Amino acid sequence: MSTICVYCSSSNAIDDAYPPVAEALGRQLAARGHALVYGGGAVGLMGVLARAAHEAGGHVTGVIPSKLQDREGIAYDADELIVTETMRERKRIMFSKSNAFIVLPGGFGTLEEFMEVLTLKQLGYHDHPIALLNADGFFDTLTSFFEELREGRFTREALSELVHVVPTAEAALDRIRAVAPTDGTPS
Ligand code: AMP
């Protein structure tokens, strides 16, 4: 069993195709006995995900900076809510509590969080599985840009050496294996 950190959109205005993916991930994650760590908000895919995991009996931990509580809402679906002073502290706690990462469609915040766990893995700070849930081809442009980086020798590893790019929640969870917890030191 793993504690899975999920990074995802805080927007309520995105296409209707995406909330069912977050809902399926929350439900299936809980059904497989995994715990969820996420950004603690009630908005966007974050809210859908947490609600689904909670309703399916999963343990949900939300981690949110005090400044964002008004903007991203209070996580009524979290069994545990950790309020931090800073964004950095939020990310550090989310990272240190988790031993696998799943990235759903999202905006700048999601991409920032994804790039951090990706680069930490590239540099050997952790060896936990990362799944990029490419729902509806959402990440196709990003993954082809990463391929260009590889072809231009800006990166040594191909993305596929570091990240499982998968089409569904089920496939993402199939890639997650029970692994040792991180040492809590992201950088
Ligand atoms: P977005 O993908 O932009 O909707 O953001 C998803 C989540 O990432 C939201 O909870 C944001 O508060 C969070 N976020 C944005 N920037 C950062 C950052 N620098 N560090 C940690 N979390 C962030």
Side-chain angles (χ1 to χ4, degrees), residues 5 12 16 18 21 40 59 87 98 107 114 132 153-154 159:
C5 179
N12 286 323
D16 289 346
Y18 300 116
V21 180
H59 188 274
M87 268 320 215
S98 308
F114 170 51
L132 191 62
R153 311 255 172 111
F154 286 96
L159 184 66

Side-chain angles (χ1 to χ4, degrees), residues 29-172:
L29 175 154
R32 294 193 191 202
H34 300 303
L36 170 67
V37 171
Y38 86 114
V43 289
L45 298 185
M46 296 169 73
V48 174
L49 169 82
R51 208 165 309 124
H54 177 74
E55 284 173 10
H59 188 274
V60 177
T61 302
V63 187
I64 192 163
S66 51
K67 185 177 170 177
L68 290 186
Q69 275 188 320
D70 286 345
R71 182 177 165 146
E72 299 191 354
I74 308 266
Y76 290 110
D77 299 297
D79 299 288
E80 188 185 357
L81 183 64
I82 300 170
V83 180
T84 66
E85 282 297 308
T86 65
M87 268 320 215
R88 281 173 195 271
E89 183 68 353
R90 174 201 231 180
K91 275 197 302 186
R92 189 190 67 75
I93 292 173
M94 289 170 75
F95 180 87
S96 65
K97 282 185 166 295
S98 308
N99 42 30
F101 302 92
I102 298 178
V103 185
L104 286 174
F108 295 142
T110 302
L111 292 177
E112 197 273 344
E113 291 164 321
F114 170 51
M115 290 311 302
E116 181 168 276
V117 287
L118 173 61
T119 51
L120 290 174
K121 186 165 182 175
Q122 178 194 32
L123 296 170
Y125 283 91
H126 74 87
D127 193 28
H128 300 308
I130 303 171
L132 191 62
L133 210 168
N134 190 23
D136 232 7
F138 179 84
F139 288 113
D140 283 353
T141 44
L142 186 68
T143 56
S144 62
F145 179 60
F146 284 166
E147 187 49 38
E148 281 178 36
L149 294 183
R150 159 88 162 145
E151 282 163 11
R153 311 255 172 111
F154 286 96
T155 64
R156 253 186 303 158
E157 301 88 350
L159 184 66
S160 59
E161 292 173 54
L162 300 167
V163 172
H164 305 292
V165 182
V166 292
T168 62
E170 192 177 11

